[in-house]
Amino acid sequence: MDFGLTEDQRMMQEMAKDFAQKEILPTMKDDEANHRFRPELVKKMAGLSFFGCGLPEEYGGNGFGFLESVILAEQFAKVSASWRLPFNMQNIGPSITVNKFGTAEQKKRFIPKWVSAEHFGFFAITEPNSGSDVVSMRTNATDRGDHWEINGQKMWISNAHIGDWGLLYAVTDRAAGYKGLTCFIINLKNNPGIITAPIETKLGLHCAPTGEISFNSAKIPKDSVLGEVGQGFQICMWQLNNTRISCAAGAIGIAGGAIEAAIGYANERTQFGKKIGSYQMIQAQIADMVAEHEAAKLLVYRAAWLKDQGLPNQHETSMAKLFASESAVHCALDTMKIFGSYGFSTEYPAERFLRDAQSLRVVEGTSNIQKTIIAGISLGDAVNR
C-alpha cells in the first residue's frame, strides 16, 4: 500500500488550493450573500484542465482519474462547497456517463464542450414527488415518430436555469418498471416546451445554481437517446455511483475547512487568561474531528482508487459517501460550538460550513439510501459492482 500522493497529484492539489484561495475566497462573502454564481470561474477551471479526469485525451481528458478529481474537488470545498459542484456538472456526471454509454458521435459532439465549459452541464433525475425512488418518476417521453415528446417536471437540479446540454431521465414505458426508464441528452435552451426557473430558498450552497425544469410537450430529436431505450435505470445507477464520490470529496473538503477554522480559532481565542485550545474539552472535540476526518479521507480516496483500477466499488463508494457526509456535519457542528457566539454569526465561516454540509446527507442518494446499499451488499443480497 502507498498512502502518499504522487508528484503530479500534489501539483494538482496545490493548483486547486491556489485557485480557490485567489479566485473564490476574495469575493466569497459577497457572492454568498447575493447567491451569486460566476460562470467565468467555471471557464477558468476548465482552462486549467480540472474537468478532464477519467476521460480520453481525444475528448479533452487530462490523463488523470477519479482520485485526482477527488483531490481537486476537496480543495475547492475547503473554501466553498458551492464550487465543488462544477466537477460533477462538467466532468463526473454527463461527460463520464456519455463516455461510457454514448456513441462515437455523441462522445465527440458533447464531451469536449463540457470539459472546456463551452457548455454548462447538468443531469435531471429528481422530481417533486420522486427522489430516492427513481422508478417512481413521472416525467415521460413519448415516441412521436420523428421526435420524442417530453412532459413532466424536474426539481432541485443543479445548473437547471443556466445549463446548456445535459442528461434527462424519463419514463418511456410505464408498465416495464425499472426497465421502462430512458436517458436522453437534451438542450435546455431555445426550446419553447422547456421552462427553467431558479430555486433560491436554500439552506446552503448559495453560489451553486439550483432550479426546476418544466417540460410541456417539449420536442427533442430522435437521436437524443443515450445508450438504448429502456436502459435509463442502469445508466442512472452507474452515474450516481460515480457522482457520489464527488459528493464525498466535497464532504471531506468541508470537514477539512471546518477543522482548520476550529484549530485557528482555538489557538487565538483566550478565556480565563488562556487560549481555549489549552482546555481539555476543546482538545477532545478537535481530536475527535481530526481522527474522524482522516478516516473519512481514507475511505474516499480508496473508493476513488478502486474506480480508477476498474474494480468493484459500489460498496466502498457508498461507505465513503455515508461516512464522509455525516463526518462533515459533525465537524462543522463542533466547529460552530468552538466558535461560540461567533459560530452563529455570518461574519465567520462556521455557520456556512454547517449549512453546506447538510446538503451532502441528501444529494446523490440520502444517508439512508447509502445504508441500504451497504447493508444489501454486506448481507449478500446484492453484488458489489
Side-chain angles (χ1 to χ4, degrees):
M1 296 184 185
D2 185 354
F3 291 96
L5 300 181
T6 67
E7 184 177 344
D8 286 341
Q9 289 168 341
R10 287 195 298 271
M11 179 188 71
M12 292 187 75
Q13 186 180 55
E14 285 302 314
M15 284 177 61
K17 181 178 180 180
D18 185 67
F19 187 98
Q21 291 289 329
K22 292 180 178 178
E23 299 286 350
I24 297 173
L25 187 59
T27 62
M28 189 172 62
K29 281 188 179 180
D30 188 55
D31 290 343
E32 281 278 328
N34 292 284
H35 291 223
R36 183 180 297 120
F37 169 69
R38 295 197 282 152
E40 70 275 10
L41 285 191
V42 181
K43 295 184 182 297
K44 286 184 178 181
M45 292 163 71
L48 293 171
S49 195
F50 286 164
F51 304 138
C53 296
L55 295 166
E57 291 185 16
E58 61 186 302
Y59 303 132
N62 56 20
F64 295 113
F66 282 95
L67 180 54
E68 286 78 16
S69 183
V70 162
I71 291 168
L72 292 169
E74 177 188 0
Q75 293 304 313
F76 275 78
K78 269 190 172 184
V79 174
S80 171
S82 292
W83 289 98
R84 191 273 312 172
L85 269 296
F87 288 93
N88 259 1
M89 300 303 109
Q90 307 302 129
N91 181 201
I92 307 298
S95 291
I96 284 182
T97 306
V98 170
N99 187 56
K100 170 71 173 178
F101 295 98
T103 64
E105 180 186 0
Q106 287 172 332
K107 294 176 187 179
K108 183 177 180 180
R109 179 182 177 189
F110 295 111
I111 296 175
K113 291 185 178 180
W114 283 321
V115 172
S116 67
E118 181 178 341
H119 289 161
F120 287 159
F122 63 90
F123 47 92
I125 303 172
T126 303
E127 299 183 1
N129 295 303
S130 173
S132 299
D133 184 8
V134 172
V135 179
S136 71
M137 69 173 58
R138 308 306 299 173
T139 298
N140 62 85
T142 305
D143 189 341
R144 297 301 188 192
D146 62 343
H147 68 275
W148 290 95
E149 180 182 296
I150 312 294
N151 286 282
Q153 186 181 16
K154 297 292 182 179
M155 287 284 289
W156 299 108
I157 307 303
S158 294
N159 280 9
H161 54 293
I162 62 99
D164 298 299
W165 289 90
L167 305 184
L168 167 70
Y169 292 89
V171 177
T172 48
D173 184 354
R174 178 71 56 196
Y178 75 91
K179 293 184 178 180
L181 301 184
T182 300
C183 183
F184 299 89
I185 307 174
I186 68 165
N187 185 359
L188 296 178
K189 302 292 177 62
N190 303 314
N191 189 322
I194 300 177
I195 299 173
T196 63
I199 298 173
E200 295 184 340
T201 54
K202 298 188 300 180
L203 176 68
L205 301 178
H206 287 170
C207 296
T210 307
E212 59 182 286
I213 310 170
S214 296
F215 300 93
N216 300 292
S217 299
K219 296 179 180 180
I220 62 172
K222 286 300 291 290
D223 63 359
S224 299
V225 174
L226 177 63
E228 300 176 2
V229 173
Q231 195 183 10
F233 183 80
Q234 176 191 345
I235 295 172
C236 185
M237 294 301 104
W238 188 89
Q239 177 202 305
L240 287 173
N241 189 51
N242 290 329
T243 53
R244 280 172 186 147
I245 201 65
S246 183
C247 294
I252 59 176
I254 291 172
I259 291 169
E260 287 182 3
I263 290 173
Y265 190 77
N267 279 326
E268 293 174 1
R269 174 74 165 170
T270 60
Q271 289 288 278
F272 306 104
K274 294 163 53 175
K275 67 177 186 179
I276 63 173
S278 65
Y279 292 105
Q280 287 185 336
M281 281 190 284
I282 299 292
Q283 291 175 352
Q285 286 177 299
I286 289 174
D288 284 343
M289 292 161 66
V290 170
E292 195 173 315
H293 177 52
E294 289 301 315
K297 282 172 60 176
L298 289 173
L299 283 172
V300 176
Y301 286 8
R302 181 182 65 154
W305 180 85
L306 287 171
K307 291 179 186 295
D308 289 331
Q309 307 311 306
L311 296 172
N313 62 79
Q314 187 179 23
H315 196 223
E316 291 78 10
T317 299
S318 286
M319 286 192 289
K321 202 269 187 181
L322 170 66
F323 192 84
S325 59
E326 295 296 328
S327 171
V329 173
H330 173 226
C331 290
L333 182 58
D334 270 15
T335 294
M336 175 178 265
K337 292 176 183 176
I338 290 170
F339 269 74
S341 297
Y342 291 111
F344 202 64
S345 168
T346 57
E347 290 299 310
Y348 292 85
E351 59 85 29
R352 177 173 54 80
F353 285 130
L354 183 58
R355 288 188 292 101
D356 289 347
Q358 297 290 354
S359 71
L360 296 169
R361 285 173 153 175
V362 177
V363 295
E364 318 299 318
T366 64
S367 289
N368 283 350
I369 288 295
Q370 304 315 311
K371 290 177 182 180
T372 300
I373 293 170
I374 295 164
I377 295 173
S378 298
L379 291 166
D381 297 329
V383 176
N384 189 23
R385 294 181 171 86

